[in-house]
Amino acid sequence: MKEEGEGEGEGEGEGEGEGERESQWSNMPHDLLSIIANGLGVIDFLCFRCVCKDWYIASSKLSPEDASIGCDRWFLMYGEGSQCSLLGSEGKVYPINIPELDEATCLASFEGWMLLFKHASLFFFCPFSKAKIDLPHCPNLTEITNHVAVFSTVPTSQDCVVGVINRIDENKLEFYWLRRGNNQWATHSYIDHKLRSICAAIFYKGEFHFLDGFDGLVKFNAEENGKWNTFRVVTRSPDKAASDVLRYMVYKNGSEVRYVKKELGLEPHDAMSTCVTRITHSDLKYDIILRSERVQAETESKSRDLKGLWIQPKYFYVPPDQSW
């Protein structure tokens, strides 16, 4: 009997030890949980937030400056209701439900944020955190056709500037822009711009740059009373210094979109349109601009017109009272 009692005592001690370990793990300090969460990939991070209330609260304390989760560019496909597909850099496809993308069009992507147009409204949206920042209504922007957009930095920054441009015809550009903190959009037009199309845009050194698929460049400077300038982009020869060197590179990515279609299991008769994406690399001295593309369907039968964008997998926490 004594031996049995001792055995039971040992068993109870082991059970208490397991319980203590579980209690310690679930009650880890939030500061430590935040450090762990900040080191996770975006998919693991989203799973981390679903474990329990404490883990959700700890991960919610991450600020935009801390939440640099991932630096690769992923591809997000949408265009059929709220059901979307996310293609990771490792080639794995994640189904994801994003109601905000139903009937929406993404005009630009940068640092994990999307600039969306939906039902005559513009707003910033982070698909990984579901953070949303509404923009003031632009009365002249009621529908999207050949518009291209750009924003200077993340929309939580006080320095954020956003612009939307449309090539009305071969002679006229129409441009709307807004600085954070303002409620009224400024509107400017430019006649005789010489651009054959607009496939890329970037906010560079305080100016808006718009480029076509050839060598055309138009600059707009809001600080100089809406001054416009037209340039031709050339490759600098080794024996001649250029008057202005652009520290960004514009890439045509049609072949990559075709690869993405294959990885996502799309059919040859599916068309795909993408928006402008800006990728910043800390180890490079220039930014990469992935221009807007449209990959036509190989056949016209039962064609679907899908949308997609390159996006950096980053999580941004935005307070409930965050506004433009």
Side-chain angles (χ1 to χ4, degrees):
M1 294 294 294
K2 185 177 181 180
E3 292 179 357
E4 291 179 0
E6 290 177 353
E8 290 174 0
E10 291 175 0
E12 291 175 0
E14 290 177 0
E16 291 175 1
E18 291 176 0
E20 289 176 0
R21 286 195 295 270
E22 291 176 3
S23 176
Q24 291 172 2
W25 179 250
S26 62
N27 294 320
M28 292 177 66
H30 283 191
D31 291 343
L32 181 56
L33 287 171
S34 296
I35 294 174
I36 295 173
N38 194 43
L40 298 174
V42 67
I43 300 300
D44 291 333
F45 176 79
L46 296 177
C47 293
F48 179 95
R49 288 172 54 80
C50 297
V51 171
C52 64
K53 182 178 180 180
D54 281 343
W55 290 25
Y56 178 85
I57 294 174
S59 60
S60 297
K61 293 182 178 180
L62 292 177
S63 67
E65 292 77 15
D66 296 330
S68 301
I69 303 172
C71 58
D72 297 324
R73 53 188 171 101
W74 291 23
F75 192 87
L76 177 62
M77 183 194 74
Y78 66 105
E80 291 189 320
S82 61
Q83 295 301 316
C84 310
S85 295
L86 186 63
L87 177 64
S89 57
E90 75 285 359
K92 186 174 181 179
V93 179
Y94 303 93
I96 182 171
N97 185 60
I98 308 178
E100 290 80 2
L101 290 183
D102 186 15
E103 299 184 11
T105 298
C106 185
L107 300 181
S109 170
F110 177 51
E111 290 284 345
W113 284 95
M114 306 164 65
L115 178 61
L116 295 178
F117 178 87
K118 182 176 180 179
H119 301 157
S121 297
L122 281 167
F123 59 94
F124 287 105
F125 181 69
C126 176
F128 303 104
S129 65
K130 303 299 178 70
K132 181 181 178 182
I133 301 176
D134 291 312
L135 288 171
H137 178 64
C138 183
N140 297 325
L141 194 61
T142 58
E143 62 179 356
I144 292 295
T145 52
N146 298 315
H147 294 72
V148 174
V150 56
F151 51 101
S152 60
T153 184
V154 295
T156 52
S157 169
Q158 294 296 333
D159 299 325
C160 186
V161 183
V162 59
V164 182
I165 194 167
N166 186 27
R167 183 175 177 268
I168 302 297
D169 53 40
E170 61 182 11
N171 293 315
K172 183 179 179 181
L173 296 176
E174 193 168 56
F175 181 56
Y176 314 101
W177 72 277
L178 183 72
R179 190 179 299 278
R180 186 172 176 200
N182 293 346
N183 292 318
Q184 299 293 326
W185 289 79
T187 304
H188 295 270
S189 297
Y190 184 35
I191 308 299
D192 197 26
H193 54 80
K194 306 300 182 183
L195 291 183
R196 303 188 211 182
S197 62
I198 303 177
C199 67
I202 185 174
F203 190 80
Y204 179 72
K205 292 185 176 180
E207 296 179 318
F208 292 95
H209 286 201
F210 306 101
L211 301 100
D212 60 18
F214 304 92
D215 59 3
L217 166 64
V218 166
K219 292 183 180 181
F220 174 80
N221 193 318
E223 303 300 333
E224 296 182 6
N225 297 318
K227 182 180 180 181
W228 295 88
N229 286 299
T230 301
F231 299 89
R232 184 168 64 91
V233 180
V234 298
T235 302
R236 182 177 60 181
S237 61
D239 57 347
K240 185 178 180 180
S243 58
D244 187 10
V245 179
L246 302 178
R247 299 295 179 183
Y248 58 84
M249 299 183 69
V250 180
Y251 280 88
K252 182 177 180 179
N253 57 328
S255 59
E256 290 188 82
V257 177
R258 293 185 181 90
Y259 162 77
V260 163
K261 284 182 58 179
K262 180 180 178 181
E263 291 296 303
L264 292 174
L266 302 182
E267 300 295 334
H269 53 252
D270 294 327
M272 176 75 76
S273 300
T274 65
C275 66
V276 179
T277 300
R278 176 182 167 192
I279 306 292
T280 299
H281 287 270
S282 58
D283 57 338
L284 297 178
K285 296 182 179 180
Y286 56 87
D287 286 353
I288 294 174
I289 311 300
L290 302 174
R291 49 182 267 184
S292 59
E293 298 281 355
R294 177 169 177 80
V295 175
Q296 298 289 351
E298 297 178 18
T299 61
E300 296 183 0
S301 61
K302 299 180 180 179
S303 176
R304 292 187 301 171
D305 197 355
L306 301 171
K307 304 171 186 177
L309 64 141
W310 299 101
I311 188 166
Q312 291 177 276
K314 296 187 177 184
Y315 179 95
F316 283 89
Y317 168 72
V318 174
D321 58 349
Q322 177 76 61
S323 63
W324 177 258

